[in-house]
Each structure stands twice: as C-alpha cells, then as structure tokens.
Amino acid sequence: MPSSPLEISPDEFAELAGRVSAEVVRHLHGLDSAPIRPATTGAESMALFAGPAPEQGLGAAALDELSEVARHSRVGNGRFFGYVMGSGEPVAALGDFFASVLNQNATAWRSGPATAVIERSLIGWLTDALGCPGFSGTLTSGGSLANLMGLAMAREAKAPANETGRPTGVVYASSEVHMSVGKAVALLGLGRENLRLIPPDAAMRLDPGALRHAISADRAAGRTPIAVVANAGTIVTGAIDPLAAIVEVARAEDLWVHVDGAYGAPAAMVAPELFHGLGDVDSLSLDAHKWLYQPLDCSALLYRDPDAAQRAFSLTDDYAASLSADPVEGQVFFEETLELSRRVRALKLWLSLRYHGLEAFRDSIADNMRQARRLAALVDAEPTLERLAEVPLSAVCFRWVGGDPATLDVVNAAMLDRINRRGRVYLSNATVRGHFVLRACITNHRTTDADIVAVIGEVLRAAPPTGTRPSSS
C-alpha cells in the first residue's frame, strides 16, 4: 500500500530540522545587530508572503524563505521594550518543538499521559513559587482566556443564571484594568454596563473604600455584585492593587476575587511583600509568555477551589467521558476549562524551569525590576523628560516636555514613530493621567544596563530641536 504523500522519512526530517536550527542560530547571532523594527512595508511583506498556495510541493525549497521571514519580523533583543512581551527563552522553544512533534492533545491523561502529569506538576511549581500553595489550575492560551474563565467561575459561584435563564451580576475593577475584562463581562452575558470601573487612587490602584461604596450603591439599586477584579501589575504602569484590603472587602460582601496577574504576578517570586493577600484570592491569571520569558502561547489560570472550575465548565458527552476511577488516569482538563482540544503548553515551561532552575528566573525578574528603577532615575535626571507614574514593577511611563505644553501629545507621538523606525530601541505608548506617554516595559532576560541607557539617548535624538540632544552615533 503506498505511503501518504505527506509522509517524510526520519532522515529527511533530520535534514530539514537541521536547516531550521541553522536558521534559528543565525537569527540569534544577529539579534543585537538587526533593527528591532524590520525595514519593511505592508506592500513588501504582502508581495513576499501572500502569494497563491503551490499546487505542487516545493520540497526542501519550501524552507528557503525562512531567512526572509526572520528579516521581516520584529527582533526580540534586549532593547525591545514594547508592550508586555516575553523574550522567547530558547530552551523553552526546544520544548515547543518537541511538543509539536509529539502532537498530544492535552485534554486528558489518556490523550497525553506524560504531558498531563507534567502540566499538573508545573501548576504546583507555579502556585508554590507565587505564594499560593494548594491552588489548582490549567494552562491557557493567554491572559484574556484566563480572565474570561476566572470570571465565568465567579458568575457560577455567586450568581448562576436566574429563573429566566439570563445571567446577572456586577463586576468591579479599577479603570486601569486590562481591556480583556470588559470583553469577558460582555461574553459572559452580563453586559458591559455591569462592569463598574472605579477611578484609581493617586498611585493608580483600586481604592478599597471606593470599591465598598460602589458595592453598597449597587445593592441599594437592587443589583447583584458578584466579583472584583484586582490588578497584580496593571498593563500600563504596573500598579499593584492593595490585594489584602480588597480581599477583606470582598469577603465581607461575599464577592469572588479574581486577580489579573498576567503581567505582574511572577514578581511575587521576588518581592512577595508587594503582593500581600495574593494567596487569599479565589482565582489568578498569569502569562508565562510575559515575565517568565516563554514563547507564545503559555498562560495559566490558577484557582483555590477545583469544584468551582467543575461547576463552570463540566459538560461531557458520553464519547468523551473518562471511564477510569484512578486519580491520575481519570484526570481530564476539559472538565475544568473552556478548551477541549488543547495544545501542549506545559512542556516548554517545564523544560525551561528544569534547565535553568527557579533561582535563575527570580534573578532575571529582579534584574528587570532594578533596570526599570534605573531607567526611572535617568528619566528623572533629564530636564526635558517627565515621568508620569511610579515604577512598582518594570514599566516606566514618561514623556518629553521640552516644547509647547499644548502640543506635547502630538510631539511625543511623532517621537515614538521616529524612535521605533530608527530601530535601535523599541517603545510602546500609553495614556497616563490624560497624557500621551512613551512606555518602556522591561520583561526581557536579554536586557543589559547598556540597553537601559540607550533608551534615553534614542528618545533625545528623536526630540525636536528645542530639546537637549546628544551627538548622533
């Protein structure tokens, strides 16, 4: 019987894998010399990569364009400070490669025995390291899904659908909360009008007193408060809400506490004093592909009560039901998550942690926090720059103020474009206290102190002539 036209021999695979590995090595060697933002246009990338599918296979020549893919991609060197983006630790990438070849469906032990146990073990490592021992959890595609699932658990725990079948409930958060929370409230059928965004305090944190007042007002109006979303590192400034005080309010009001720790929660491994109360919450999202430096995608939803996950997500047809009573062999992830088909996300983080050890991750996170404080000090020392927020974690928000105050937002936006087009450093933007700001977020294991110093030079080079500008280099 003829073999499939899609099959290749192990030897052919080894040759192709070797070519890909060589291309990866060239990419890694060139990280520091390549412009972070690729010198390309939409039209050029469309011309290169958007052609028709080949009717006949190209064979090994299909790999020839990988160098062009790399050349037209953003470079993740130590001077990439845009968004909240992990640096793609290379050992973890090998774990992703191996997981793809194994091609297990990480939905139950029977579908992938080794990887199921590895995921469970990995969740235990994470919860212990974060100061949440005894929590359970599952890996997800990202913080958006983890936040959605956490709030779905909250809804089912505190206000399942009423007799009309319509979900009810009010969710509370700081106005600094991530946009995924608004999407989650809408997708759960609660309606965005039932998301109470409370103005933050001077440190950009959720005010427990204002939270208590908002809950009381809703109860008086006949509404049903169900949950509060606290931030363990807001996406813009890295502000950490007063978790212990929020938990105290929530317990008194019988609310679920979900923490969006997608960005900042890994810092609890380094500075637990900043996260007092984290171990007392009901659920927590964490993106390993942010500040645990993993390749996309690798996130987690951690939670105190496994039964709450079962109440929210358990719905199994006969064909999928587990027939084993064994506590390991009978384990199924699809009874506690939205996903049925699940890629193996655990192997890369498991391999990365085994290779480097937890201490190396703590040291890297601590170094990024120190580097952020240094950048903040450099900003504060420059007369034409103004910092607009404190730096509790690793995000630094600032702007150039050397010109007409009426035009600073426009000028800083133009500066950001020049900075990123130049390609020496890469920043993102945000709005802080009503102003357009330049934002550097340091979640990169490759960042050095020289990279931090480079930010100031590149910003001043991009400033209008009225600003203090160093000589070009």
Side-chain angles (χ1 to χ4, degrees):
M1 188 172 182
S3 63
S4 167
L6 297 177
E7 188 59 84
I8 64 172
S9 71
D11 289 340
E12 287 178 279
F13 180 78
E15 183 177 345
L16 296 175
R19 285 188 58 190
V20 173
S21 294
E23 197 61 57
V24 168
V25 169
R26 279 192 292 272
H27 174 71
L28 292 174
H29 274 305
L31 283 181
D32 283 337
S33 59
I36 298 175
R37 173 173 168 169
T40 189
T41 65
E44 184 180 356
S45 56
M46 287 292 290
L48 282 169
F49 307 117
E55 185 61 36
Q56 301 300 319
L58 304 176
L63 276 58
D64 292 350
E65 301 301 317
L66 288 181
S67 60
E68 287 298 309
V69 173
R71 191 171 71 84
H72 288 80
S73 297
R74 190 266 305 158
V75 173
N77 67 25
R79 296 182 302 282
F80 179 82
F81 304 114
Y83 328 122
V84 187
M85 183 72 182
S87 41
E89 193 277 308
V91 173
L94 295 177
D96 240 357
F97 171 75
F98 194 67
S100 293
V101 174
L102 290 179
N103 196 34
Q104 308 287 284
N105 184 0
T107 196
W109 181 89
R110 68 184 181 203
S111 299
T115 56
V117 172
I118 285 171
E119 180 166 344
R120 283 293 190 230
S121 177
L122 181 62
I123 292 294
W125 293 358
L126 290 175
T127 58
D128 288 347
L130 294 172
C132 301
F135 275 41
S136 300
T138 55
L139 297 182
T140 71
S141 61
S144 293
L145 182 58
N147 287 338
L148 173 64
M149 288 169 54
L151 288 175
M153 292 167 64
R155 186 192 65 188
E156 294 306 302
K158 301 299 182 181
N162 61 22
E163 62 274 7
T164 68
R166 180 177 181 180
T168 62
V170 183
V171 176
Y172 303 84
S174 157
S175 58
E176 296 296 300
V177 77
H178 191 264
M179 63 182 180
S180 64
V181 171
K183 291 185 178 183
V185 170
L187 288 169
L188 291 170
L190 300 174
R192 294 191 186 186
E193 69 275 10
N194 283 318
L195 174 60
R196 295 285 175 271
L197 295 178
I198 300 171
D201 64 15
M204 313 300 284
R205 302 173 304 176
L206 178 60
D207 180 354
L211 171 63
R212 188 180 290 109
H213 177 77
I215 295 169
S216 296
D218 277 320
R219 289 203 192 281
R223 303 183 186 96
T224 305
I226 61 170
V228 55
V229 178
N231 293 301
T234 59
I235 196 69
V236 173
T237 67
I240 303 166
D241 290 338
L243 302 178
I246 290 170
V247 168
E248 183 179 351
V249 172
R251 293 292 174 261
E253 298 286 350
D254 192 28
L255 268 62
W256 183 280
V257 181
H258 174 72
V259 171
D260 181 356
Y263 159 32
M269 296 164 51
V270 174
E273 68 279 4
L274 298 177
F275 299 85
H276 181 56
L278 185 64
D280 298 321
V281 308
D282 295 297
S283 56
L284 163 69
S285 65
L286 175 151
D287 282 359
H289 57 235
K290 288 186 169 71
W291 217 357
L292 288 176
Y293 313 106
Q294 298 298 291
L296 290 160
D297 58 24
C298 188
S299 300
L301 174 66
L302 311 176
Y303 41 83
R304 171 182 303 282
D305 181 10
D307 290 339
Q310 293 276 334
R311 285 194 298 271
F313 306 117
S314 179
L315 182 63
T316 303
D317 282 335
D318 287 345
Y319 76 89
S322 173
L323 302 179
S324 174
D326 184 273
V328 176
E329 296 180 18
Q331 176 242 313
V332 289
F333 287 104
F334 58 77
E335 290 284 88
E336 53 193 272
T337 177
L338 279 175
E339 297 177 290
L340 182 53
S341 297
R342 301 171 71 239
R343 64 173 304 191
V344 174
R345 301 181 179 105
L347 201 57
K348 55 187 165 189
L349 181 54
W350 178 79
L351 193 64
S352 186
L353 285 169
R354 280 167 52 87
Y355 187 91
H356 296 290
L358 275 169
E359 183 180 18
F361 283 86
R362 291 192 188 98
D363 288 348
S364 292
I365 293 168
D367 208 35
N368 286 165
M369 295 175 73
R370 178 191 61 79
Q371 289 165 338
R373 293 192 296 270
R374 182 173 188 195
L375 178 57
L378 292 172
V379 168
D380 293 344
E382 170 51 52
T384 61
L385 299 180
E386 176 188 37
R387 182 162 52 87
L388 275 79
E390 296 301 315
V391 184
L393 294 177
S394 67
V396 184
C397 296
F398 62 102
R399 61 177 182 159
W400 180 81
V401 292
D404 181 359
T407 63
L408 288 180
D409 283 357
V410 174
V411 170
N412 276 273
M415 287 174 58
L416 179 64
D417 184 62
R418 287 194 290 272
I419 291 164
N420 289 345
R421 284 186 183 277
R422 181 171 163 85
R424 301 287 186 86
V425 303
Y426 194 102
L427 306 178
S428 60
N429 61 279
T431 299
V432 177
R433 307 185 198 281
H435 300 294
F436 182 100
V437 299
L438 310 176
R439 178 177 168 280
C441 189
I442 308 164
T443 52
N444 193 321
H445 73 277
R446 299 183 177 102
T447 298
T448 67
D449 286 2
D451 295 328
I452 296 300
V453 173
V455 172
I456 301 299
E458 290 299 307
V459 168
L460 295 179
R461 285 185 183 94
T466 52
T468 303
R469 303 179 68 184
S471 58
S472 61
S473 62

